[in-house]
């Protein structure tokens, strides 16, 4: 299934972000958000804007509101309208300012929320928690012991990674069923950097990449930026569908496959051991490299330990790269990840890593080396809190939003919620006015198969979850009561 279904209206809505939080009448808020996109260069000269009707439908405002906003922009000389050609950004020069939104792809709102930081809106763009208390313990141990003094005399450049951490990662994989040597490990600045390095090494314009449908929007944008063509494969109860994967491998001859077998994002599913073995067999048969991202393995829901990584089932010429990170299990601010794979491939990736940043921060790596042997202990400690928040979220949703549907995740930190007979992108605009920033399913699967889904993290404190569901219920009632606005709705 080809996953590159992007439209002008959807793309513009992504750029607008939380536009309704500005002051003034609604049409001026909309005009201001579009003007900002023009002035910073996100909407270049000549870019055609969506029709009033299409944009009004996606924003759940009246057509009159969009007409008034476009009139405002025309009055400022920012857009021109020609009968038969629609409304376009005017051709006068623009200044690329320093305060524009993060551009590009379907993960715009997620990356922009990272850039903007917290605010009065409850954002569902991220599922994050404060640092695990064990981080402070190992930080003090590092400072009080002799290792810090030794580190300060070190050259500080370890492009392949701090040797004790590479050894710890190797031991970690060996313990979970994937025998590993240190020379098969590359340390990176988070799991996201691995995706970027792999894209640089494997992809060229026109390359085909197989991904799960749905998938993590951030990786989709990285692959698109490399010029790749994306083909999606759906999931079943055991993970990515093996029959569809085999068919795509045979028909498309992809250069890479990206999978999230352990607590898939956004669904929270766990790929079974049998399915992992089958994926490894298909990778070997069709000679397709597999990038397995297990960065979410730190969160456990109703299941116990995960099966071994897909790499543990590799046979013959199967080229499987296994990705991990401590960002989810320990702290998002500890930007340390890694990739495990055949030593020759890891060596090639290391060259791209050197070119990117010369090596990840050594102090952070030293902390991670001390934390990694305690990873199981850390996740077990957090499990009770995670389960309590999940149970609280489920109970509130069942009570206040009984028509919504979800599958209790095997793990992870969010519910993948289906909205009955409703576009999630339209609901997201209503939710924004109720103080919730939702990421619609179209960002995770641009084919349209999940346009009626949203991801609802339960990583917030209990009191925030309570307020979140109250706001979501208010937005849903608003949408159900009034429905999508019509052209007769007054300008607001």
């Amino acid at each position: 299934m080809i996953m590159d279904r992007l439209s002008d209206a959807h793309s513009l809505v992504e750029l607008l972000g939380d536009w309704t939080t500005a002051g003034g009448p609604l049409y001026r808020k909309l005009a201001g958000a579009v003007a900002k996109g023009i002035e910073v260069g996100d909407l270049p000269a000549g870019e055609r804007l969506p029709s009033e009707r299409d944009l009004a439908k996606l924003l759940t405002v009246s057509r009159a509101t969009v007409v008034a906003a476009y009139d405002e922009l025309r009055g400022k000389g920012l857009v021109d309208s020609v009968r038969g050609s629609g409304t376009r950004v005017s051709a006068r020069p623009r200044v690329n300012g320093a305060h524009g939104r993060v551009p590009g792809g379907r993960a715009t709102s997620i990356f922009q929320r990272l850039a903007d930081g917290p605010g009065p809106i409850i954002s569902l763009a991220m599922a994050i928690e404060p640092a695990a208390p064990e981080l402070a313990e190992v930080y003090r141990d590092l400072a009080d012991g002799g290792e810090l003094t030794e580190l300060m005399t070190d050259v500080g450049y370890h492009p392949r990674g701090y040797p004790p951490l590479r050894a710890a990662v190797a031991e970690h994989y060996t313990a979970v069923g994937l025998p590993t040597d240190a020379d098969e490990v590359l340390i990176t600045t988070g799991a996201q950097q691995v995706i970027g390095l792999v894209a640089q090494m494997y992809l060229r314009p026109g390359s085909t990449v197989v991904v799960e449908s749905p998938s993590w929007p951030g990786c989709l944008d990285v692959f698109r930026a490399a010029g790749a063509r994306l083909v999606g494969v759906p999931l079943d109860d055991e993970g990515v569908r093996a029959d569809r994967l085999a068919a795509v491998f045979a028909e498309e001859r992809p250069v890479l496959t990206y999978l999230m077998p352990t607590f898939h994002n956004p669904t929270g599913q766990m790929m079974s051991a049998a399915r992992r073995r089958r994926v490894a067999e298909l990778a070997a048969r069709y000679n397709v490299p597999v990038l397995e991202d297990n960065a979410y393995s730190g969160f456990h829901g109703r299941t116990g330990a995960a099966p071994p990584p897909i790499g543990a089932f590799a046979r013959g010429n199967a080229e499987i790269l296994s990705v991990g990170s401590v960002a989810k299990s320990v702290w998002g601010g500890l930007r340390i990840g890694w990739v495990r794979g055949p030593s020759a491939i890891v060596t090639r990736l290391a060259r791209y890593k050197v070119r990117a940043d010369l090596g990840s921060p050594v102090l952070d790596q030293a902390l991670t080396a001390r934390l990694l042997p305690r990873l199981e202990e850390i996740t077990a400690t957090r499990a009770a809190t995670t389960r309590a928040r999940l149970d609280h979220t489920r109970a509130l949703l069942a009570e206040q939003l009984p028509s919504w549907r979800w599958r209790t995740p095997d793990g992870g930190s969010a519910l993948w919620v289906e909205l009955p007979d409703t576009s999630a992108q339209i609901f997201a605009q209503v939710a924004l006015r109720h103080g919730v920033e939702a990421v619609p399913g179209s960002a995770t699967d641009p084919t349209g198969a999940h346009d009626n889904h949203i991801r609802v993290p339960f990583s917030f404190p209990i009191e925030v979850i309570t307020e979140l569901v109250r706001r979501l219920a208010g937005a849903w009632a608003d949408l159900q009561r009034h429905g999508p606005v019509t052209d007769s709705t007054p300008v607001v």
Side-chain angles (χ1 to χ4, degrees):
M1 183 182 294
I2 307 301
M3 298 189 68
D4 290 327
R5 184 202 59 133
L6 297 180
S7 68
D8 289 341
H10 285 81
S11 299
L12 180 58
V13 169
E14 287 287 328
L15 282 175
L16 295 178
D18 51 357
W19 64 278
T20 60
T21 59
L26 200 59
Y27 79 92
R28 283 187 178 165
K29 296 180 185 181
L30 176 56
V34 175
K36 185 176 181 180
I38 294 172
E39 289 165 356
V40 302
D42 290 341
L43 294 171
E47 181 86 4
R48 182 172 181 172
L49 299 182
S51 70
E52 292 97 339
R53 188 180 301 276
D54 287 347
L55 187 57
K57 180 179 179 181
L58 282 176
L59 295 177
T60 66
V61 299
S62 70
R63 184 180 179 188
T65 297
V66 179
V67 169
Y70 280 8
D71 283 344
E72 181 101 346
L73 293 167
R74 274 189 292 271
K76 294 179 178 179
L78 295 175
V79 301
D80 301 308
S81 296
V82 177
R83 184 177 299 277
S85 298
T87 301
R88 295 181 182 272
V89 177
S90 65
R92 69 182 180 84
R94 304 292 166 213
V95 177
N96 287 328
H99 302 289
R101 293 183 61 80
V102 177
R106 308 301 290 167
T108 298
S109 59
I110 298 172
F111 293 143
Q112 187 64 40
R113 180 51 50 197
L114 283 168
D116 289 345
I121 286 179
I122 299 176
S123 176
L124 307 187
M126 298 175 289
I128 54 177
E129 292 193 76
E134 290 84 354
L135 177 58
E137 295 176 19
V138 299
Y139 187 87
R140 286 191 294 268
D141 290 343
L142 184 66
D144 294 340
E147 186 179 353
L148 181 59
T149 302
E150 183 180 342
L151 280 173
M152 299 297 286
T153 62
D154 185 84
V155 66
Y157 290 102
H158 296 282
R160 293 179 66 111
Y162 180 52
L165 178 55
R166 291 173 62 204
V169 171
E171 292 175 6
H172 169 74
Y173 276 121
T174 299
V176 298
L178 177 53
T180 301
D181 295 324
D183 64 357
E184 297 174 308
V185 174
L186 173 67
I187 305 302
T188 61
T189 307
Q192 185 74 7
Q193 187 181 51
V194 179
I195 299 171
L197 297 176
V198 168
Q200 290 180 57
M201 192 171 84
Y202 283 89
L203 305 186
R204 299 293 180 270
S207 298
T208 297
V209 177
V210 174
V211 296
E212 291 152 314
S213 177
S215 189
W216 155 238
C219 79
L220 303 183
D221 286 354
V222 170
F223 298 147
R224 283 199 193 92
R229 170 177 171 268
L230 305 181
V231 178
V233 176
L235 308 171
D236 61 21
D237 290 341
E238 291 191 66
V240 66
R241 283 184 52 178
D243 59 334
R244 297 288 295 274
L245 193 65
V248 169
F249 281 3
E251 295 168 8
E252 303 287 349
R253 297 297 177 183
V255 300
L256 182 69
T257 297
Y258 174 82
L259 304 173
M260 291 174 283
T262 302
F263 307 145
H264 171 269
N265 180 16
T267 68
Q269 285 185 236
M270 174 80 83
M271 186 184 293
S272 69
R275 187 62 52 82
R276 295 176 192 226
R277 180 179 290 105
R278 180 60 175 152
V279 169
E281 291 171 353
L282 291 172
R285 177 187 303 174
Y286 292 99
N287 196 28
V288 178
V290 173
L291 178 63
E292 61 164 329
D293 186 348
N294 291 314
Y296 280 81
S297 60
F299 288 90
H300 290 263
R302 61 192 177 99
T303 63
I310 296 174
F313 301 100
R315 298 293 183 270
N317 64 335
E319 191 172 304
I320 299 176
L321 300 173
S322 304
V323 180
S325 167
V326 291
K328 293 297 183 182
S329 55
V330 179
W331 184 40
L334 191 60
R335 304 301 306 157
I336 296 297
W338 54 82
V339 57
R340 184 269 182 209
S343 58
I345 301 299
V346 168
T347 297
R348 290 178 59 198
L349 280 173
R351 297 188 189 118
Y352 287 91
K353 166 70 174 173
V354 173
R355 190 168 65 187
D357 59 13
L358 301 180
S360 299
V362 175
L363 291 178
D364 286 4
Q365 293 186 67
L367 291 171
T368 304
R370 287 172 171 257
L371 286 163
L372 209 54
R374 303 177 61 180
L375 206 54
E376 186 174 344
E377 168 195 340
I378 293 170
T379 55
T381 300
R382 284 191 159 182
T385 300
T386 303
R387 278 193 292 268
R389 290 173 176 173
L390 170 59
D391 291 344
H392 187 65
T393 305
R394 292 171 56 202
L396 290 178
L397 289 176
E399 175 188 354
Q400 299 181 40
L401 291 157
S403 64
W404 286 18
R405 295 289 178 264
W406 64 87
R407 172 188 179 276
T408 299
D410 299 322
S413 53
L415 293 174
W416 185 232
V417 177
E418 180 182 357
L419 309 180
D421 303 317
T422 302
S423 164
Q425 191 147 33
I426 289 176
F427 175 69
Q429 292 299 313
V430 180
L432 198 58
R433 295 169 210 168
H434 285 257
V436 178
E437 181 182 45
V439 178
S442 57
T444 71
D445 181 4
T447 65
H450 295 89
D451 279 4
N452 62 336
H453 284 70
I454 63 171
R455 179 174 178 259
V456 180
F458 50 83
S459 55
F460 303 106
I462 291 292
E463 62 273 15
V464 176
I465 292 174
T466 302
E467 175 63 16
L468 165 63
V469 176
R470 186 192 71 78
R471 294 185 189 185
L472 288 173
W476 183 250
D478 192 6
L479 183 60
Q480 296 302 299
R481 185 181 303 114
H482 302 294
V485 293
T486 65
D487 291 348
S488 61
T489 306
V491 177
V492 291

